[in-house]
Amino acid sequence: MSTLHRRRPVSGALRHVLLIVGALIMLTPFVYMVSTSFKSQAYVLTIPPQFVPDPATLDNYVQVLTTQNFAAYFMNSVVVALTSTVISVLISSMMAYAFARFRFPGRELLFRLVLVGLMVPAMMLIIPQFILAKQLGLIDSLQGLIVFYVAASISLNTFLLRSFFASIPGELDDAMQVDGANAWTRYWRLVMPLSTPALATTTIFTFLATWDEFAWALTIINDPSKRTLPLAIQLFQGQNATQWGLVFAASVVAVLPVILVFLIFQKYFVQGLTSGAVKG
């Protein structure tokens, strides 16, 4: 057997070992979070850590779901995340279609201005956003969250979708145009159905970003009835002591919609990422 053939099994085994180690590093915090959510407060900080709760209890979940108005905060997050995602993906796809298909003066300059949004850290915009939200009457409202979440996600979504739209043959557009299809028809009936991987990727990114956003929600929401899930989880953290069982139980409940969204769109997720990366 040649030296090359002997090296291939070794490199393959090393690759698998590295992947397993990486997977364990990624999964351990999640497994510990789930495990801790089934422990009572007395067993949360035991040394060495217990990954199998003994005794196991559902009290944390019962307390989370029946106190602090948790269900209302959960629904607030659902409304904000879903609305922001739908609006952001729709607006971004229309902008991306215009940048990819139409030729007009200043097109590249406008696109680069849109990309500037990717270069500015979100925390630097908190104060200007707060002043703008106050002038628009959006303080202490779910609409105030949705408007600024959409604005924050448009740059990345437009960048990803424009790259994918540009890879769709223009001849298809020309053929529909010959048949009398206008720009909206070509966008909605041709480009959108062919762009499922890119749309799935932007949907996942936008939903994740809006679902667990904390800083902006903490800045403008004062009314307890308008709180979102990240703010609700913070309520379980006391000034002198934190009820980690409740925090992790609430976190497990909060992560379930994220897993659901990823499972729905994961079939197209990797394909969308690679398409945007290669064709951009």
Side-chain angles (χ1 to χ4, degrees), residues 194-276:
L194 292 177
S195 305
T196 305
L199 294 172
T201 302
T202 53
T203 297
I204 291 175
F205 281 163
T206 308
F207 186 84
L208 292 181
T210 54
W211 180 259
D212 59 4
E213 201 283 333
F214 178 77
W216 179 241
L218 180 65
T219 302
I220 70 164
I221 298 297
N222 295 315
D223 186 348
S225 67
K226 305 290 178 56
R227 287 171 178 156
T228 54
L229 213 48
L231 300 182
I233 294 175
Q234 183 209 21
L235 298 177
F236 296 118
Q237 299 179 355
Q239 184 174 3
N240 299 315
T242 299
Q243 302 179 62
W244 289 111
L246 297 179
V247 171
F248 287 131
S251 300
V252 170
V253 175
V255 84
L256 292 179
V258 176
I259 295 175
L260 178 63
V261 169
F262 186 79
L263 290 177
I264 292 173
F265 295 104
Q266 61 88 25
K267 177 181 177 182
Y268 308 101
F269 181 62
V270 176
Q271 186 182 350
L273 278 180
T274 53
S275 298

Side-chain angles (χ1 to χ4, degrees), residues 5 12 15 93 103 105 153 161 200 237 257 260 270:
H5 288 165
R15 188 183 307 119
S93 62
R103 301 289 182 270
S153 60
L161 292 173
Q237 299 179 355
L260 178 63
V270 176

